[in-house]
Amino acid sequence: MRRAQLLPALAAALMLTAAAPPAKPLTPREIVDQAPASAWRTIDPEDLMVIDLKNGGRVIVQLAPQFAPVHVANIRALARGGWWTGAAVYRVQDNYVAQWGNNETDKPIPKGVVAKPPAEYERPLAGLTINPLGSPDAYAPGAGFTLGWPVAYDSKGGTANLPHCYASVGVGRGLSPDTGMGGELYAAIGHAPRHLDRIIAVVGRVVEGIEAFSALPRGTEALGFYKERSSDVPIARVTLAADLPASERPSFQYMDTESPSFAAYVKGRANRQDDFFIRPAGGVDLCNAPVPVRRTPTK
């Protein structure tokens, strides 16, 4: 091509380039949907507790043995020992928690359950690789993610803990030094009750079916307890996914919190540029960047 012909061609190309709109940022949902298979980790079936309610509802909880190993071991033993058969959801407090269990004095505790577990309200920070949230936290010096979980942490104190976010599952207990043995559990169904951090053992999170708790009628007594036992919501059975037949076993994956996809997701949550958001927040609360969890795709 002669020089006289080349210059107009270059000019046209530059004009097209200049006129091309910038690539539209992906939404957090699009980032999750487009994450490669390498960005997902399968949850151990030993860490999935399946709660079947007699009304047909099902709640699936992912347990966190990395943060509360003794309580989680108790919960597994309780499930395998049939502890919650005949138990019920007996407390539903609006914007707070749904609680279920059995009176520990009315039913023998299964073999292998530690009656008085240690106070597993926090764990050593050593050994954890934490990806910082990038935004300040009102309840801890630091906040971020590790092992697929949101965490609050104190670098100087050398501790880390699971926060009370929506759908977090904790262990009911009496007054200190009681730590709760795991027979009484609750799920957060309202605004994240972070004031409970580090004073109660958080043992997991609901990964599916939280609506089976959050949609229940609220209790009318103090703290949301049902006034009449006839209002309790019976539990049909509680099992571990590992103990179910393969054909009935639910399988879930969480997004690897060290993956590039997760980093992009958190950045997107803090800087929403969807069409609806006329002003990105520039930050995000720890509980408002929940680690994505999905059903394991079928091949």
Side-chain angles (χ1 to χ4, degrees), residues 43-50 76 79-80 239-246 248-251:
I43 298 173
D44 189 333
E46 281 282 328
D47 293 340
L48 287 176
M49 180 171 65
V50 182
R76 289 172 178 154
R80 288 184 164 127
T239 53
L240 298 177
D243 296 338
L244 293 172
E248 301 176 16
R249 186 179 304 155
S251 180

Side-chain angles (χ1 to χ4, degrees), residues 9-10 12 23 32 43-44 54-56 78 120 160-161 171 179 196 249 260 282 296 299:
L10 286 174
V32 173
I43 298 173
D44 189 333
K54 282 192 175 180
N55 66 9
L78 289 166
E120 297 180 306
N161 65 274
V171 176
T179 60
L196 297 177
R249 186 179 304 155
T296 301
K299 295 180 180 179

Side-chain angles (χ1 to χ4, degrees), residues 278-296:
I278 59 175
R279 187 177 296 109
V284 65
D285 179 83
L286 179 61
C287 289
N288 200 33
V291 177
V293 177
R294 68 179 186 181
R295 282 256 178 179
T296 301

Side-chain angles (χ1 to χ4, degrees), residues 205-295:
R205 61 187 170 203
V206 175
V207 295
E208 186 175 273
I210 187 65
E211 66 277 2
F213 286 155
S214 62
L216 290 174
R218 275 35 179 171
T220 58
E221 297 301 284
L223 302 178
F225 285 88
Y226 288 133
K227 183 176 183 178
E228 305 293 341
R229 296 283 63 80
S230 59
S231 297
D232 292 353
V233 180
I235 293 173
R237 67 172 185 171
V238 176
T239 53
L240 298 177
D243 296 338
L244 293 172
S247 60
E248 301 176 16
R249 186 179 304 155
S251 180
F252 289 83
Q253 296 178 325
Y254 65 86
M255 184 175 280
D256 184 352
T257 49
E258 295 186 34
S259 67
S261 294
F262 185 76
Y265 161 78
V266 173
K267 183 178 180 180
R269 295 285 294 189
N271 301 277
R272 297 294 293 267
Q273 298 184 55
D274 315 21
D275 292 338
F276 181 80
F277 289 85
I278 59 175
R279 187 177 296 109
V284 65
D285 179 83
L286 179 61
C287 289
N288 200 33
V291 177
V293 177
R294 68 179 186 181
R295 282 256 178 179

